[in-house]
Amino acid sequence: MSATLVLGLMTFLFLFFGYLGVPVAFSLTAGVMIGAAFTDVTFAAIVQKMFDGVDSEALLAIPFFLLVGELMSSANVVQRVINLSLTLVGHLKGGLSQVVAVFSMFFSEMSGSTTADAAVMSRTLGVSMRKEGYDPPFIAAIIAAASTIAALVPPSITAVVYGAVGNVSIAGLFMAGFLPGFMIGFGLMIYCYFFGPEGIRRPRATFGQFTDATKAAALPLMIPVILLGGILTGWFTPTEAGVVAVCWIMLVVIPMLNPRHIRNLPRDFCYAGLIYSLPLITIAAATAFGWMLAYLRGAIVISDWITSLAGNDPHLIMLLLVLLFTIVGDFIEPVPTIIIFMPLVNALTDAGSINPVHMGVVLILTLAFGLITPPYGLVLLMASKFVGVPFSKALKAALPIYLVFLTTIVFAIYVPSAILWLPKQVMPQAVGCFKNPSGSGYICPS
Amino acid sequence: MSETSGAGDPHGERSLVLQRQRRLKWRALDWLEAVLMMLCGFTLAGFCAAVVCDIVTRTIGAPWLWLQEVTSTFFIYGIFIGAAVATRRNDHLFLAAVGEFFTGRPRLLIESAIRLVVIAVGLFLAWYGYINFLRGFSSFRMPSMTPIASLYAAIPISGALIALFAFEQLVNGWRNGFESALADDAANDARETPS
Amino acid sequence: QAKHYKIAYDQPVGTGYGIAATIFADKLKELSKGTMLIDQYPGAQLGQEPQVLQLVKAGDIEFCLSASANAATLTPQAGVMSLHFLMRDENHLKKALASPEVSQAFRTMVDETVQGAHVLGLLTLGFRNIYAKKEVRNLADIKGMKVRVQATPTEDTMFPAYGAQIVHMPFGSVYTSLQTGVVDAAENGVNVYLVNKHYEVAPIMSMTQHEANNNLLWISDKLWSSLTAEQKGWVQAAADEVSKVEPGKALDLETQSAAKLKGMGVKIVTDVDKSGFQKVAQPYLEKMANDLGPHAAKIQQLISATQ
Ligand code: NA
Ligand code: NA
């Protein structure tokens, strides 16, 4: 059987089993397994590649980033951050929808997982929004859209995987993710102000109420300071920053704010131990799938096709990749997409002389958008399930919000100087500059 | 990326033995789910402790070089144990569940097909994972020179458990009906959904 | 009719690995009159070196290039090639790798200790040097520095002997760790340093040349045993061509890379006082080769005796 046919069969089987209801990791494995039967590859080699996929140092950050969000929500510490968000924007037109956007901008800096954000918001703000009479499909849509910020603003599991697999500075991706993340956050606020439901507006919080809420949320708000401060000053790698944040929550935040929760910690660990394995087993299976794609030279075919259309024009290359990732991301999850297509992305990043951090942020943004688009918009699916509305209705409510994402994506492609501004200020090495060995300042590629 | 529970915890997701889809499970295997969940917690805690020690010993200038091998051992076993127990709890990531739109015989066929695919993948991981494990005796982890088979072993163990749990669901689904098992949960959901 | 075979390596095409793979592919095509064709899989497309070595042993990939340090995951005695100051200078390095006796001794060692794969020949990426944010001009400069080293017993012995503190981590973490100060220094070849952009986080390379970056060309036993005597002859002759031609070209590439780095503003310290390092390393050379095993001892003697 020809290589193209085998790849086609693998892809078909993966999607077929996947949409039938076989877990993603197993439908990927089944596709690879059957595909490999038509090649010289031994089955044991497939198992080895699954192992190799998770035997990677950079992925060690993932359990910590999940654990931070898990412990925060399990110990009920998030309510303090919600209260702070309320005093900030509760009086604006749109009421709680504004709070969703602002809370997500806070919580995204503590949580690395979009679905964790969606779960937390659905179970807290989502419930309050229903009580205040918001349209349930809109609740699901706004919560899902706001949750995607977690993939951009550090810490971000998507960025960790992208950096680990593509050999791109994870800290650089983190810093560059801030601007598009906040563009989406503020874009949602503007959307809610002009086009969203009126909502119940609270009286503007007094300065005293604001300082009280800030004080109450101070301990959890230290988490982004630890995570970002540690990475920025060069004290910690992303993994180490995750460790320190987990220690901070376990040794300071929970004992001081919710000491009764301490006895639940063993159970939290069991559960967090279970959920961190879910993305990683998917990474393992996607690695075997991606390996078959490389072995059968599939990535080269697609990248030749893109370069034949785009030449070396960086904007065109990025647009075509965004298109490809939008299509692929409509069917599969961000993490397997990144792993399977990374060889292709690396080749095209070189061909267009694109800054790898810039490329990474644009693609992560595209994949974040894919989380709320049909047919497979993971976060929108989850939010509609939690809120209890049909996916199709939530989707309809989400459609106008797409404008916020599309604007941000176009901006990110065409204004790399803005995207790379923050990393260049705080960690010039992350975007290709290096310290002048015989003088002061940095030498940057032009 | 992964489903996490927050405040509320409607299905008792954090409990060691999940009560969701009770009719698809044998009580006789509950102890196994509980043990595997505890192992998930143990591997995660061990992993965290090892990373903390790694940072501390490196910072004070007396690094324990073998710690990184301990870290990856916990990390890898945690992943494959978690993947196994998630099969029994139906906690995995799904693209979609077409089956939910069907009832009766088509539903039975789809639900059975899903379990058969998972059993096939589980047996595949168990058998070829075992062959890979044997291969792993001639390759060594640096610097301790432990055969990498010590890590590869996680995969066949996980594969066998995955096949076992999918078989459990298949048999119970045929016996008790897949739909009625899920209908119980829907009723529970309805009771707990805030109005 | 023509048959296609895969060769995997984990550096981009424009490196010593790419040079070696191209020499091998061209020569084999020429000798076999176009019946044996090599398809290249550069840039770790098929996996990192220890992983690819496993797949070559299993017969899933026919050929691969690997560092001798990674070969030590299969046969610890291969660590002999990493011994510090085993290669005295560039000339000695070229001669040692082209020596039929050295090559034969190495092949015998692999045949007797590794199942599933066979070594065809030796190649090199040149010498390894130390890079950091500060200069390392002599032995005193490295005292107390945290250096990322390959996780092998050789490095674990030698760097502490120089007074440095060692840190193990995979190659992929070196960049971030230099950036964050988890390590002060790392060591590798000039071209590897350039291509992986490690100069961005450690802009000073000191040419300590403490060990050679020696590499091996592997073939899977599954393929090797299926070849006719004539085909084996072609494959071996193509590999011999690599051992003869590649070291010179790889060393040229190192020089070009150093020139390019200087042009970019990176500092290359060429006048390192190596005598202090050599003095520390000398007593270890024979002792560590003997500790590794009889094959290692023999290879060390053959290389040291090469003039
Ligand atoms: Na985040
Ligand atoms: Na989508």
Side-chain angles (χ1 to χ4, degrees):
Chain A
M1 210 192 272
S2 81
T4 325
L5 220 56
V6 174
L7 283 174
L9 178 72
M10 276 169 49
T11 311
F12 168 78
L13 288 172
F14 157 51
L15 291 174
F16 178 78
F17 291 139
Y19 280 94
L20 193 68
V22 176
V24 178
F26 300 149
S27 46
L28 278 164
T29 313
V32 176
M33 213 168 92
I34 296 172
F38 295 97
T39 66
D40 294 335
V41 178
T42 58
F43 288 133
I46 300 297
V47 175
Q48 192 204 317
K49 286 323 292 182
M50 291 182 71
F51 174 88
D52 293 343
V54 288
D55 188 19
S56 156
E57 187 87 350
L59 297 177
L60 300 183
I62 291 180
F64 295 112
F65 291 169
L66 274 170
L67 200 53
V68 173
E70 263 303 299
L71 291 173
M72 293 275 294
S73 55
S74 159
N76 248 338
V77 178
V78 277
Q79 193 56 45
R80 291 163 184 265
V81 184
I82 294 178
N83 291 343
L84 174 62
S85 313
L86 260 173
T87 63
L88 278 172
V89 291
H91 60 282
L92 291 179
K93 179 173 171 286
L96 285 180
S97 16
Q98 302 284 5
V99 178
V100 165
V102 170
F103 169 76
S104 188
M105 284 193 267
F106 278 123
F107 195 61
S108 293
E109 286 155 47
M110 307 173 197
S111 151
S113 147
T114 50
T115 48
D117 278 28
V120 167
M121 283 195 276
S122 307
R123 283 165 182 166
T124 50
L125 284 164
V127 175
S128 315
M129 286 178 89
R130 278 195 99 135
K131 282 191 190 135
E132 292 188 11
Y134 290 81
D135 192 25
F138 173 77
I139 301 175
I142 191 75
I143 285 178
S147 301
T148 62
I149 301 173
L152 288 156
V153 174
S156 151
I157 290 172
T158 321
V160 168
V161 174
Y162 191 96
V165 181
N167 228 344
V168 180
S169 162
I170 293 172
L173 291 171
F174 276 3
M175 289 308 115
F178 264 111
L179 180 69
F182 282 123
M183 276 181 75
I184 290 174
F186 286 110
L188 292 176
M189 290 179 71
I190 294 168
Y191 173 84
C192 291
Y193 193 87
F194 290 106
F195 309 104
E198 179 69 36
I200 296 176
R201 298 167 68 169
R202 285 158 177 71
R204 184 189 285 270
T206 63
F207 186 71
Q209 285 168 325
F210 167 71
T211 43
D212 286 349
T214 311
K215 270 185 210 151
L219 288 180
L221 284 179
M222 278 300 290
I223 291 166
V225 177
I226 294 171
L227 280 172
L228 299 179
I231 298 172
L232 286 186
T233 52
W235 285 353
F236 309 134
T237 63
T239 309
E240 292 165 355
V243 176
V244 178
V246 167
C247 291
W248 172 257
I249 295 178
M250 294 217 312
L251 302 179
V252 179
V253 178
I254 294 179
M256 290 192 66
L257 300 184
N258 190 358
R260 288 177 55 199
H261 188 77
I262 292 175
R263 65 193 161 88
N264 293 335
L265 281 179
R267 219 159 62 126
D268 284 350
F269 263 77
C270 291
Y271 189 68
L274 167 73
I275 60 165
Y276 97 82
S277 71
L278 304 180
L280 282 159
I281 193 73
T282 313
I283 289 175
T287 303
F289 197 96
W291 187 84
M292 284 294 282
L293 189 70
Y295 184 93
L296 298 170
R297 304 234 152 195
I300 293 179
V301 174
I302 308 175
S303 91
D304 284 352
W305 177 72
I306 291 185
T307 39
S308 73
L309 278 175
N312 292 329
D313 180 355
H315 292 144
L316 215 49
I317 288 179
M318 277 192 158
L319 278 174
L320 287 173
L321 264 181
V322 165
L323 188 70
L324 176 76
F325 270 52
T326 308
I327 297 169
V328 175
D330 279 343
F331 295 96
I332 57 179
E333 264 200 278
V335 164
T337 309
I338 290 171
I339 293 169
I340 293 171
F341 288 98
M342 205 63 218
L344 169 90
V345 172
N346 274 338
L348 291 171
T349 308
D350 277 352
S353 314
I354 300 165
N355 185 300
V357 170
H358 179 213
M359 177 68 106
V361 166
V362 168
L363 293 181
I364 292 169
L365 181 59
T366 308
L367 292 171
F369 178 45
L371 293 170
I372 57 165
T373 60
Y376 176 65
L378 177 66
V379 170
L380 191 60
L381 276 166
M382 287 188 52
S384 48
K385 187 177 126 198
F386 287 137
V387 177
V389 292
F391 180 65
S392 54
K393 283 196 177 156
L395 184 62
K396 220 167 158 189
L399 280 177
I401 300 179
Y402 286 2
L403 195 64
V404 173
F405 286 83
L406 294 173
T407 315
T408 313
I409 291 175
V410 171
F411 177 85
I413 293 178
Y414 284 95
V415 197
S417 53
I419 299 290
L420 297 178
W421 183 82
L422 186 61
K424 225 170 218 163
Q425 297 312 306
V426 294
M427 39 183 13
Q429 304 97 323
V431 287
C433 307
F434 59 95
K435 229 185 175 87
N436 190 337
S438 37
S440 61
Y442 283 84
I443 302 176
C444 290
S446 46
Chain B
M1 175 160 288
S2 61
E3 184 168 334
T4 64
S5 78
D9 203 8
H11 293 297
E13 279 164 357
R14 270 156 210 278
S15 53
L16 292 183
V17 179
L18 192 59
Q19 295 307 312
R20 196 174 59 195
Q21 303 191 0
R22 182 69 254 179
R23 290 204 221 169
L24 293 183
K25 292 167 150 190
W26 282 317
R27 296 227 172 253
L29 284 184
D30 282 358
W31 67 271
L32 187 55
E33 183 177 333
V35 168
L36 291 174
M37 283 300 282
M38 285 189 251
L39 282 175
C40 281
F42 174 73
T43 49
L44 181 59
F47 168 76
C48 292
V51 176
V52 170
C53 290
D54 188 27
I55 298 172
V56 171
T57 58
R58 205 163 54 199
T59 311
I60 61 172
W64 295 347
L65 293 169
W66 46 270
L67 264 177
Q68 278 156 19
E69 289 179 57
V70 175
T71 308
S72 55
T73 307
F74 279 125
F75 183 70
I76 300 276
Y77 272 87
I79 294 169
F80 288 98
I81 292 169
V85 71
T87 309
R88 186 166 204 252
R89 299 162 62 97
N90 252 333
D91 269 332
H92 275 286
L93 305 175
F94 293 93
L95 284 186
V98 174
E100 284 172 19
F101 299 110
F102 294 91
T103 51
R105 186 165 282 275
R107 175 62 178 272
L108 185 71
L109 277 174
I110 290 172
E111 297 281 358
S112 306
I114 292 170
R115 268 67 185 200
L116 287 171
V117 172
V118 178
I119 290 173
V121 170
L123 293 177
F124 170 86
L125 291 178
W127 178 245
Y128 292 100
Y130 174 69
I131 292 179
N132 188 54
F133 162 73
L134 294 181
R135 282 183 185 180
F137 279 101
S138 58
S139 184
F140 305 97
R141 300 171 68 193
M142 293 289 184
S144 72
M145 293 299 208
T146 320
I148 199 163
S150 57
L151 289 184
Y152 284 169
I155 301 176
I157 296 170
S158 175
L161 290 168
I162 289 166
L164 171 69
F165 294 142
F167 179 73
E168 177 188 21
Q169 291 173 359
L170 185 67
V171 171
N172 286 302
W174 278 341
R175 201 179 283 163
N176 305 327
F178 288 102
E179 282 165 74
S180 61
L182 299 173
D184 289 349
D185 296 329
N188 283 335
D189 277 350
R191 237 176 291 129
E192 301 204 24
T193 303
S195 49
Chain C
Q1 77 283 18
K3 278 216 149 178
H4 287 260
Y5 304 101
K6 298 178 171 60
I7 186 165
Y9 49 95
D10 83 352
Q11 293 287 329
V13 183
T15 60
Y17 274 180
I19 295 174
T22 307
I23 295 172
F24 183 65
D26 291 349
K27 192 74 188 174
L28 185 58
K29 187 178 173 188
E30 180 199 316
L31 291 171
S32 69
K33 302 192 179 57
T35 58
M36 297 180 84
L37 301 174
I38 300 286
D39 295 334
Q40 297 194 31
Y41 287 76
Q45 281 178 43
L46 297 184
Q48 307 294 324
E49 280 182 11
Q51 305 166 355
V52 166
L53 278 172
Q54 292 268 79
L55 294 170
V56 168
K57 270 166 49 107
D60 289 294
I61 299 173
E62 290 90 7
F63 296 94
C64 80
L65 300 173
S66 90
S68 54
N70 282 322
T73 60
L74 299 184
T75 171
Q77 294 198 50
V80 64
M81 297 304 265
S82 306
L83 291 180
H84 285 204
F85 300 103
L86 174 66
M87 306 290 182
R88 295 186 289 269
D89 51 39
E90 297 191 350
N91 222 359
H92 182 219
L93 172 62
K94 276 193 251 183
K95 284 193 175 139
L97 292 193
S99 150
E101 292 85 20
V102 172
S103 181
Q104 187 54 52
F106 205 93
R107 286 204 294 269
T108 309
M109 173 187 82
V110 171
D111 286 343
E112 288 180 14
T113 52
V114 178
Q115 283 185 342
H118 171 79
V119 162
L120 290 167
L122 300 162
L123 53 136
T124 189
L125 299 182
F127 284 97
R128 294 175 80 94
N129 308 297
I130 294 172
Y131 50 94
K133 292 189 178 77
K134 63 168 217 167
E135 297 178 7
V136 179
R137 291 192 161 272
N138 51 49
L139 184 63
D141 286 342
I142 203 176
K143 285 252 159 26
M145 279 176 101
K146 281 180 284 178
V147 186
R148 180 269 172 179
V149 298
Q150 305 172 92
T152 66
T154 311
E155 313 302 338
D156 289 0
T157 310
M158 292 315 303
F159 277 92
Y162 300 142
Q165 182 189 321
I166 50 173
V167 179
H168 289 171
M169 64 184 53
F171 183 73
S173 306
V174 173
Y175 183 101
T176 323
S177 303
L178 281 165
Q179 184 177 31
T180 57
V182 166
V183 297
D184 303 316
E187 45 92 56
N188 220 313
V190 186
N191 186 249
V192 173
Y193 173 65
L194 168 70
V195 173
N196 291 283
K197 300 192 176 154
H198 285 182
Y199 59 85
E200 289 173 7
V201 285
I204 301 174
M205 179 174 250
S206 307
M207 306 298 263
T208 47
Q209 302 196 319
H210 51 275
E211 65 174 279
N213 240 341
N214 291 320
N215 305 273
L216 312 168
L217 170 58
W218 296 81
I219 181 172
S220 75
D221 267 350
K222 192 177 157 195
L223 175 63
W224 184 242
S225 57
S226 77
L227 296 177
T228 65
E230 189 188 28
Q231 287 174 319
K232 277 185 184 166
W234 296 334
V235 170
Q236 188 58 60
D240 292 345
E241 179 79 2
V242 173
S243 298
K244 205 168 81 199
V245 181
E246 188 272 350
K249 289 196 175 186
L251 290 170
D252 287 347
L253 184 68
E254 292 289 282
T255 315
Q256 288 162 20
S257 305
K260 189 169 174 197
L261 284 163
K262 270 185 208 154
M264 292 163 64
V266 174
K267 191 162 191 175
I268 308 278
V269 182
T270 45
D271 53 342
V272 175
D273 174 16
K274 292 193 277 183
S275 61
F277 292 98
Q278 280 164 328
K279 211 173 143 195
V280 174
Q282 203 52 48
Y284 285 97
L285 195 54
E286 231 170 281
K287 182 185 174 300
M288 291 184 74
N290 288 334
D291 288 351
L292 283 168
H295 291 290
K298 186 176 175 203
I299 293 166
Q300 182 263 320
Q301 284 158 14
L302 283 171
I303 291 178
S304 294
T306 305
Q307 286 305 314

